[in-house]
Amino acid sequence: MGKAKAKAKQVKGKLKESAGSATGDKRMEAEGRAEKLTGKVQESAEKARKNLSGGR
């Protein structure tokens, strides 16, 4: 997964988390937090992969 897709997942998660918070839907809020975290992990993994391969 590329960095752009990871960022998009973070944004989608943030929106879902905000919507869940606004509507009082705790499950949606938790799903959003999880999706946001997944995007951050994927972004970090992508950065690490690029660093290990010499920035290519």
Side-chain angles (χ1 to χ4, degrees), residues 13-48:
K14 179 67 176 168
L15 290 172
K16 190 183 270 191
E17 181 181 12
S18 295
S21 180
T23 61
D25 186 340
K26 296 295 182 189
R27 182 176 179 171
M28 183 185 290
E29 192 175 349
E31 286 175 1
R33 272 195 303 273
E35 195 165 349
K36 189 170 62 170
L37 181 59
T38 300
K40 286 182 181 183
V41 169
Q42 289 171 342
E43 182 181 11
S44 294
E46 183 67 23
K47 285 181 185 178

